[in-house]
Amino acid sequence: MKHFLLLVCLQFLFLPLCAKDRTIRPGELWLDNKGVHINAHGGGIMYHKGTYYWYGEHKAENTSSALVGVTCYRSKDLVNWTNCGIALAVEDQVGSDIEKGCTLERPKVIYCPRTGKFVMWFHLELKGRGYAAARAAVAVADKPTGPFKFLRSGRVNPYCYPADWNEADIAQCKALQSSQFTEWWTGPWREAVSQGLFVKRDLDGGQMARDMTLYIDDDGRAYHIFSSEENLTLHLAELSDDFTYHTGRYWRIAPGGQNEAPALFKRNGRYWLITSGCTGWAPNEARMFWADSLTGPWTQVPSPCRGENAKLTFNGQSTYILPVAGKPDAFIFMADIWRPKHPIDARYVWLPITFENDTPVVAWRDEWSPATFWD
Ligand code: DGJ
């Protein structure tokens, strides 16, 4: 009897430590296996051999600059996450592209079957230079949890015009004179932007690359989708066979539309892209586009968000859309509620995507369980 009572007491003592969570509560603190709020912001998920890996920006208490690097967590049920430590560490070396104090945002990882390597791309801003560098950066690893080895960073696709431009489009772009457009946001300036005013400006040095995601198409080709041209136009850029270079082939999406935070998925043969507008850390209304080919044309439709705070994307900003492995109709919309004054306290909004007449809908829920995908 004494032993039985002891066993019961022990069970109650350890229950909180062993108990598995069943639900996701968008906007609430989300504790990892050590009971610490998950620190993986602007993140993305890679599914590999039965495990989901969540990569994201490690955020500090008082600064949005990168003091640590990219974190990695793993999970099998999408609710309970084990901290796997730092996948890519910032460097102490002065002058390093990823020097501690740089801005390192929106890391995403994909697995390259041809090389057997895990490839991470992220948006990089050099230390002390605000958001001027607008670079894409790449790192590789032999294991999903890293350590990732930083390869290089830079602007993207120098000396290349969009892959779908014909000679007339190129001639029109070449004829644009930036000196004629000193004032922004006028009708003629907008027209020039959509004709490639900034493509021309950045032709030699390479195109700007900020908010980003990665996408692997059905044929195994990988693409890097990022805010370019002063955040005015998204570029969808093809990656090389080893996923670590751009091939020079790229397509523009919504020229002049000012989209950030791209997140892409495919269902029933149709591609869907969810983005945000450009309002810094403040939330705005999500946008949505569809296309029957990755390279476009893309058509804009209303925001998929519904319910409380839907007009402000539930106070969040998209970062990734997670296809649930083995469930062709199951997708999770992932967004960040930024807290620029206390970055480490930024929150996550994960919500299931449902479909109405085959159009994605993201409805607010206080609490939900991914187990419903498998039950
Ligand atoms: C919005 C972007 O989506 C974020 O990743 C970050 O770059 C902030 N802007 C900075 O203001």
Side-chain angles (χ1 to χ4, degrees):
M1 185 61 183
K2 229 174 23 191
H3 283 124
F4 175 74
L5 281 177
L6 190 71
L7 219 70
V8 171
C9 291
L10 280 174
Q11 196 180 349
F12 274 107
L13 254 175
F14 286 110
L15 201 61
L17 291 178
C18 310
K20 290 238 172 217
D21 276 334
R22 299 261 312 154
T23 58
I24 289 175
R25 290 175 292 279
E28 303 286 313
L29 285 174
W30 195 342
L31 307 185
D32 67 8
N33 59 314
K34 295 176 183 157
V36 177
H37 181 46
I38 293 172
N39 197 334
H41 308 276
I45 308 278
M46 179 189 67
Y47 179 74
H48 188 73
K49 293 191 177 164
T51 299
Y52 293 92
Y53 295 89
W54 178 354
Y55 302 89
E57 305 158 24
H58 176 279
K59 291 275 188 206
E61 289 281 347
N62 303 312
T63 172
S64 293
S65 299
L67 302 184
V68 171
V70 177
T71 47
C72 177
Y73 294 79
R74 67 178 154 77
S75 171
K76 289 200 185 276
D77 63 10
L78 296 171
V79 180
N80 297 280
W81 292 89
T82 299
N83 187 338
C84 301
I86 309 307
L88 173 74
V90 293
E91 296 175 355
D92 287 326
Q93 194 191 330
V94 176
S96 155
D97 284 5
I98 54 166
E99 183 180 349
K100 188 174 178 179
C102 66
T103 295
L104 192 168
E105 292 182 341
R106 297 184 178 268
K108 307 286 180 290
V109 174
I110 46 179
Y111 174 67
C112 181
R114 282 184 205 87
T115 61
K117 303 267 185 204
F118 298 88
V119 182
M120 176 190 291
W121 284 89
F122 54 95
H123 164 208
L124 177 72
E125 298 292 347
L126 302 174
K127 183 178 180 183
R129 291 189 36 197
Y131 277 81
R135 290 189 183 191
V138 59
V140 290
D142 294 325
K143 289 190 298 178
T145 49
F148 279 78
K149 182 177 179 299
F150 176 70
L151 293 183
R152 77 194 95 83
S153 77
R155 291 276 178 97
V156 174
N157 288 328
Y159 309 111
C160 298
Y161 287 103
D164 54 349
W165 277 14
N166 58 29
E167 282 181 15
D169 295 323
I170 294 175
Q172 179 175 255
C173 174
K174 281 184 173 167
L176 296 167
Q177 294 300 335
S178 53
S179 53
Q180 286 176 5
F181 302 101
T182 45
E183 200 185 330
W184 285 36
W185 313 115
T186 64
W189 176 87
R190 285 179 193 280
E191 179 70 9
V193 168
S194 82
Q195 292 171 357
L197 186 66
F198 294 103
V199 171
K200 178 179 174 181
R201 186 196 69 181
D202 293 335
L203 199 68
D204 295 357
Q207 303 297 319
M208 301 174 102
R210 293 202 182 109
D211 278 14
M212 56 145 284
T213 192
L214 298 176
Y215 183 76
I216 301 183
D217 206 3
D218 301 338
D219 60 3
R221 267 270 137 238
Y223 295 86
H224 176 207
I225 301 102
F226 51 93
S227 301
S228 192
E229 303 178 36
E230 301 288 354
N231 287 357
L232 288 158
T233 299
L234 289 167
H235 286 192
L236 179 135
E238 186 184 65
L239 294 177
S240 58
D241 287 350
D242 71 354
F243 297 174
T244 71
Y245 286 93
H246 295 91
T247 63
R249 281 158 51 81
Y250 71 98
W251 295 262
R252 300 166 84 219
I253 301 176
Q258 282 194 288
N259 287 281
E260 281 191 326
L264 182 66
F265 72 107
K266 185 182 190 185
R267 176 186 177 257
N268 273 353
R270 179 158 283 182
Y271 299 91
W272 295 93
L273 175 68
I274 299 181
T275 69
S276 73
C278 298
T279 50
W281 299 113
N284 56 58
E285 186 172 20
R287 291 108 178 258
M288 185 161 70
F289 302 81
W290 65 265
D292 288 330
S293 159
L294 257 189
T295 59
W298 288 90
T299 303
Q300 187 167 358
V301 290
S303 159
C305 300
R306 302 264 180 87
E308 206 180 320
N309 285 321
K311 282 269 177 221
L312 287 178
T313 319
F314 319 115
N315 294 318
Q317 188 184 26
S318 44
T319 185
Y320 196 71
I321 290 163
L322 165 61
V324 178
K327 301 283 163 188
D329 267 346
F331 300 90
I332 299 173
F333 171 75
M334 294 168 48
D336 298 282
I337 299 179
W338 302 115
R339 297 261 164 95
K341 292 201 176 120
H342 192 199
I344 197 172
D345 192 34
R347 304 297 173 89
Y348 310 100
V349 173
W350 286 28
L351 289 165
I353 299 182
T354 54
F355 295 88
E356 280 178 14
N357 302 320
D358 281 330
T359 298
V361 170
V362 181
W364 175 259
R365 300 170 195 215
D366 292 331
E367 184 167 19
W368 65 282
S369 173
T372 52
F373 295 133
W374 295 288
D375 289 346

